[in-house]
Amino acid sequence: MPKGWYRMYFQPNYTISMDSTHVKSGSYSVAIEYTGGNANHQNNFQAIQLILPKNYEGERITLSGYIKTENVTDGHAGLWMRIDPQIAFDNMEQRGVTGTTDWKKYEITLEMDPENTQGVILGAVLWGKGKMWVDDLQISIDGENIEGITLPDSELLFYGYKSSPTKKDNAFDNGSDIEFPELTEQKINDLELLGKIWGLLKYHHPAIAGGKYNWDYELFRILPVYLRADDNRQRDRILRKWINGYGRIPTCKICQATSDTAILKPDLSWIDESDLNQRVKDLLHNVYLNRHQGNQYYVRMDYPYERPIFLNENPYSEMDFPDDGFRLLALFRLWNMTNYFFPYKNLTDKDWSKMLKEYIPYFINAKNRLDYELVSVRLIGELCDSHAVLLEGHREISLFRGYWQAPISVHFIENELVVTDNSINSKISIEHRVKDSGLQIGDIITHIEGKSVEAIIDNVRNYYPASNEAARKRDIAADLLRSNNDAILVDYISSGEIKREKINTVHVSVLFQEIYSIPDMAKSYKLLDKDIGYVNLETIRAEDVDAIKKEFINTKGIIIDIRNYPAINEVAWKLGSFFVSKDTVYRRFTVGNPDNPGEFNLRGKFEIFKSEEYYPGKLVVIVNEKSQSLSESTAMAFRTGDNTTIIGSQTAGADGHISEMTLPGGLKTWNSGIGICYPDGRQTQRIGIVPDIWIEPTINGIKQGRDELLEKAIEIIRKQ
């Protein structure tokens, strides 16, 4: 990438590269290309971005540049620019470049508001398929080019426009030098208290939240003396001196009390419930009452999604196995991010306020990289959120699970691990083919390498974060036949007989690339028996919506299959409008308040607007545990239809735009960043979309090659 430029999101079916062949001038252009394969991801686009390092005075800012395209379909190529927060935005959506075009100059101009601007971000974007090149980008304000821009030196400077003293603090770059004494009950209690105080100061103290200190390294400065405290009196004296050392806190005249209507409220009861002396308690209450307001150094709310974006969090990726101090930092960081900015903290199985103390010994006593990854996954799992996964940094876990896998599909059906596809090996290119497994569709696997499936599930369940058991078993099933060997031994029941088979394995990358890819030309809709329409959202394209309305308008019913992830975001309202006779709100959301961390309020409404076309027939929507996030919100939209029936089983129970968190050792995790609920406030997280008619596949149905849910959908439409 050119210096200072960054990929906006990681999208697995797009590549970004510098191209020396197709250039407008100079040596290189930047190319963004859709590479095909699995379209099952949240946003069907890829973008590059540049963050302007400072605010500028002026009235109008213009981004111009040359774009060249090749076979751009299902979207557009264009420039984009955004002035935060919610001041101005343009991504050329209505005038984007499509098809195959030669170099041509384009520009976008936004009205500026320097007094209220928090940042300006700009770049190029490719929506949909094809390839684009961009070159000769220029930025001007009121007609004058910006010269001598100092580019950010790291992606961690996202939104960090001002130079910060934290960047100059390198005292612990080579390690924390922390050695923990014996972890007595008292020491664990003291560390729990320190972790909560550290987090309170991070997001509330004006000097710290404003970015004047490297808060990671300040932890390492206080820890040695804090750990030497012999009693509460000495501990509290250390804490009081530490807090006061960051300067006098001015009275906050604009700090507001927590809203009476807040869905979640800050919980600082731990201060008064602790064994701290009153002087320290008063100090902490004073920090909260006069807390930082406005732009924070460590967190912002992202526009337009209003999810928390955690800024300036060093991932310390160069650390193969973070030392004791950095592992404790990982725990403190993740616990506090969740405590103040996770919208579903009240829906976890365990009390989140107790998780910090519980996990202190686990993080400190981790003996190697695998231990560290595993305990991190366990803590992430305590969020009870199917969005909460260890996205990056799971090298040792992946090795432990194995990079080889039996080339058959298995799912939990009627509480048994059942073979649902034994012909996957026929899809693998010749050089990777394996002998027939011998197993048949509908066979029940009872043991893997001599261990019962039930025992394996009991052993691994804590390492599979999920909102509910249906989503957890979905994810476990995908890994059960992984191995580090070239074959895997299974015991199974076939036609009533107990059998044993060694199945040859293939590398998981082969399975991912060659099995789970969706054919580009797969049509998303078809007629069943001439009077029932069927739509598969996994392969739907924007242009399909009008065709579906036109082709299916006179059918008796339409079946929409969301046992998958919709290929486009806008299908909910574009197609949903076909089924409503009046404008209808289908969901609302809750967002955090960085001016009062821990507070979440009900905001905004997502609405389906009726269209000129109206479908009078029946609508049946099919869901199951594979329906997650956008799939679930899309099902909520279709539920507002005048004649809708939802059938299937429990969905994954995770909705709301994703937030990303980084931990020492290059670990990266996701969780739900905003809360989603029905218009009346009813919960969807963990519960998912509850079907009107509960129906699941059966083992006999699988053996017979039947799609029993689809059959039920047809039956509902046929029924008078």
Side-chain angles (χ1 to χ4, degrees):
M1 295 287 290
K3 182 180 178 182
W5 288 82
Y6 296 94
R7 176 194 301 261
M8 190 171 202
Y9 297 109
F10 176 75
Q11 304 288 24
N13 50 342
Y14 287 87
T15 61
I16 301 176
S17 61
M18 295 178 69
D19 191 326
S20 61
T21 304
H22 300 272
V23 296
K24 179 63 177 66
S25 67
S27 300
Y28 294 96
S29 66
V30 171
I32 306 176
E33 182 176 13
Y34 175 78
T35 56
N38 196 342
N40 186 12
H41 53 85
Q42 184 167 0
N43 296 304
N44 196 27
F45 77 95
Q46 184 56 277
I48 58 172
Q49 65 180 13
L50 173 72
I51 307 150
L52 296 193
K54 62 180 181 178
N55 198 0
Y56 293 89
E57 295 293 331
E59 296 183 359
R60 293 161 64 87
I61 183 169
T62 298
L63 169 65
S64 65
Y66 285 83
I67 293 175
K68 178 179 179 177
T69 61
E70 182 178 277
N71 299 327
V72 173
T73 62
D74 300 336
H76 74 275
L79 305 176
W80 70 276
M81 183 161 54
R82 192 178 79 206
I83 303 178
D84 291 338
Q86 305 183 34
I87 292 172
F89 175 73
D90 186 357
N91 68 352
M92 293 180 58
E93 183 175 10
Q94 303 303 319
R95 60 190 191 286
V97 187
T98 59
T100 299
T101 65
D102 203 354
W103 289 109
K104 183 178 177 181
K105 188 175 183 180
Y106 299 89
E107 68 176 38
I108 53 178
T109 299
L110 299 180
E111 299 292 329
M112 300 175 66
D113 183 3
E115 185 175 344
N116 297 306
T117 293
Q118 295 177 3
V120 180
I121 308 174
L122 48 85
V125 60
L126 173 64
W127 285 89
K129 301 174 183 177
K131 187 173 184 178
M132 73 173 293
W133 293 264
V134 62
D135 202 354
D136 287 359
L137 293 177
Q138 298 288 333
I139 307 165
S140 62
I141 294 177
D142 297 335
E144 295 186 16
N145 286 343
I146 297 178
E147 301 291 344
I149 297 179
T150 303
L151 298 175
D153 60 0
S154 167
E155 191 170 8
L156 298 174
L157 284 176
F158 181 70
Y159 276 109
Y161 297 99
K162 299 178 181 179
S163 176
S164 170
T166 66
K167 301 300 176 185
K168 301 176 182 178
D169 185 350
N170 57 9
F172 299 96
D173 288 356
N174 297 321
S176 69
D177 297 326
I178 302 298
E179 294 184 7
F180 288 97
E182 179 185 355
L183 290 179
T184 62
E185 182 72 15
Q186 183 60 49
K187 284 300 179 188
I188 292 173
N189 288 337
D190 288 347
L191 286 171
E192 177 195 23
L193 201 54
L194 180 64
K196 291 182 176 181
I197 294 173
W198 181 86
L200 175 71
L201 297 177
K202 179 176 183 176
Y203 294 120
H204 295 78
H205 194 292
I208 298 160
K212 293 184 178 180
Y213 297 92
N214 183 328
W215 201 232
D216 292 354
Y217 288 3
E218 291 301 304
L219 173 64
F220 301 148
R221 290 187 171 96
I222 187 63
L223 265 172
V225 63
Y226 185 79
L227 290 171
R228 289 196 294 269
D230 294 326
D231 53 36
N232 287 1
R233 183 178 179 182
Q234 188 177 4
R235 177 201 66 190
D236 293 355
R237 187 164 58 247
I238 292 169
L239 286 172
R240 191 170 69 251
K241 182 179 179 181
W242 183 50
I243 297 168
N244 285 330
Y246 296 109
R248 179 181 172 277
I249 299 175
T251 301
C252 179
K253 297 181 180 179
I254 60 173
C255 290
Q256 298 181 358
T258 302
S259 170
D260 292 336
T261 60
I263 301 298
L264 278 179
K265 300 181 179 181
D267 181 12
L268 300 179
S269 60
W270 59 270
I271 297 176
D272 292 322
E273 293 171 358
S274 72
D275 59 3
L276 292 166
N277 66 37
Q278 194 58 47
R279 293 179 69 181
V280 178
K281 290 178 180 179
D282 290 344
L283 269 178
L284 297 176
H285 282 302
N286 183 62
V287 171
Y288 173 74
L289 292 173
N290 298 288
R291 59 191 177 273
H292 181 85
Q293 299 290 287
N295 296 339
Q296 288 221 22
Y297 184 72
Y298 291 106
V299 65
R300 297 278 175 86
M301 306 309 286
D302 181 35
Y303 173 77
Y305 303 117
E306 299 195 72
R307 62 188 168 184
I309 300 294
F310 297 102
L311 316 171
N312 299 303
E313 298 287 3
N314 193 331
Y316 304 106
S317 300
E318 70 282 359
M319 295 181 178
D320 182 67
F321 176 46
D323 65 31
D324 292 7
F326 277 95
R327 295 198 305 278
L328 185 68
L329 168 65
L331 172 59
F332 283 5
R333 186 187 286 184
L334 181 56
W335 187 88
N336 281 288
M337 287 172 168
T338 301
N339 190 54
Y340 293 112
F341 297 103
F342 181 53
Y344 300 123
K345 189 183 67 171
N346 59 322
L347 299 180
T348 56
D349 286 338
K350 298 180 182 178
D351 184 346
W352 186 253
S353 68
K354 298 178 181 179
M355 291 299 95
L356 183 56
K357 179 179 179 180
E358 178 178 332
Y359 275 82
I360 285 172
Y362 297 141
F363 273 83
I364 291 178
N365 292 329
K367 301 301 182 185
N368 51 45
R369 172 80 186 203
L370 177 60
D371 282 356
Y372 174 55
E373 291 178 14
L374 287 172
V375 72
S376 297
V377 170
R378 282 183 56 191
L379 180 58
I380 292 166
E382 302 287 7
L383 298 180
C384 302
D385 179 17
S386 295
H387 274 153
V389 297
L390 186 57
L391 182 68
E392 293 181 11
H394 48 71
R395 181 191 70 232
E396 294 300 319
I397 289 179
S398 294
L399 180 61
F400 187 74
R401 286 173 175 158
Y403 283 107
W404 298 80
Q405 186 164 354
I408 61 175
S409 285
V410 292
H411 294 84
F412 283 101
I413 299 173
E414 296 185 277
N415 293 318
E416 303 284 359
L417 186 65
V418 178
V419 177
T420 55
D421 189 348
N422 68 339
S423 60
I424 289 181
N425 52 340
S426 67
K427 302 176 186 177
I428 300 174
S429 55
I430 293 175
E431 63 267 30
H432 296 297
R433 290 193 181 207
V434 297
K435 70 174 185 178
D436 291 338
S437 68
L439 277 70
Q440 302 298 316
I441 292 176
D443 288 352
I444 300 171
I445 296 177
T446 60
H447 293 74
I448 301 171
E449 297 291 355
K451 297 178 182 178
S452 73
V453 170
E454 292 83 358
I456 295 172
I457 293 172
D458 286 342
N459 285 334
V460 304
R461 58 179 296 107
N462 289 338
Y463 304 103
Y464 284 83
S467 299
N468 53 49
E469 195 64 14
R472 192 188 322 278
K473 283 193 169 182
R474 172 201 69 190
D475 294 342
I476 291 175
D479 284 341
L480 280 176
L481 295 180
R482 286 177 62 168
S483 173
N484 281 311
N485 300 318
D486 58 6
I488 189 167
L489 180 68
V490 299
D491 295 320
Y492 62 101
I493 300 172
S494 181
S495 301
E497 296 183 24
I498 299 175
K499 299 183 178 182
R500 174 171 289 185
E501 184 82 24
K502 267 206 167 185
I503 308 173
N504 285 1
T505 58
V506 296
H507 199 276
V508 292
S509 63
V510 175
L511 294 176
F512 179 80
Q513 293 172 9
E514 301 195 33
I515 298 170
Y516 301 114
S517 296
I518 300 169
D520 286 346
M521 300 307 294
K523 192 174 181 180
S524 68
Y525 62 96
K526 62 184 177 180
L527 279 171
L528 304 176
D529 299 332
K530 296 184 179 180
D531 62 349
I532 297 177
Y534 173 82
V535 183
N536 183 344
L537 295 191
E538 189 172 30
T539 56
I540 195 167
R541 299 175 296 181
E543 61 266 28
D544 291 348
V545 174
D546 288 338
I548 289 168
K549 292 179 180 180
K550 182 178 180 180
E551 195 165 325
F552 292 171
I553 186 65
N554 294 317
T555 57
K556 188 173 183 179
I558 296 176
I559 299 167
I560 296 181
D561 197 338
I562 325 182
R563 292 173 291 181
N564 49 55
Y565 196 93
I568 57 174
N569 290 347
E570 62 268 26
V571 67
W573 57 89
K574 281 191 173 181
L575 188 55
S577 64
F578 193 38
F579 304 104
V580 297
S581 57
K582 61 181 180 180
D583 298 348
T584 308
V585 176
Y586 70 94
R587 66 171 179 157
R588 299 191 69 184
F589 59 96
T590 63
V591 297
N593 179 6
D595 286 338
N596 191 16
E599 177 183 327
F600 280 81
N601 293 287
L602 195 61
R603 294 273 296 279
K605 298 177 181 179
F606 290 84
E607 193 168 1
I608 297 293
F609 299 99
K610 68 176 183 178
S611 63
E612 294 180 2
E613 311 98 338
Y614 173 69
Y615 182 72
K618 295 180 180 180
L619 170 63
V620 181
V621 178
I622 308 177
V623 298
N624 66 2
E625 72 279 358
K626 295 181 181 178
S627 310
Q628 179 171 319
S629 193
L630 179 60
S631 306
E632 295 176 288
S633 62
T634 302
M636 293 171 71
F638 288 132
R639 173 161 261 165
T640 64
D642 296 346
N643 196 7
T644 300
T645 302
I646 295 182
I647 71 169
S649 55
Q650 186 175 35
T651 60
D655 209 346
H657 294 290
I658 292 169
S659 288
E660 185 176 285
M661 297 176 285
T662 59
L663 304 176
L667 273 59
K668 183 181 292 185
T669 177
W670 280 349
N671 66 16
S672 299
I674 66 173
I676 298 295
C677 59
Y678 285 104
D680 60 4
R682 282 181 296 130
Q683 171 187 343
T684 62
Q685 179 73 4
R686 304 202 65 184
I687 296 172
I689 307 305
V690 179
D692 300 306
I693 298 175
W694 191 284
I695 178 171
E696 298 180 78
T698 64
I699 297 175
N700 281 335
I702 292 295
K703 288 181 178 179
Q704 297 166 16
R706 296 164 53 200
D707 186 339
E708 293 162 287
L709 278 70
L710 182 59
E711 291 173 2
K712 184 65 175 179
I714 294 172
E715 176 190 321
I716 292 170
I717 293 173
R718 290 267 185 252
K719 189 175 181 180
Q720 297 297 327

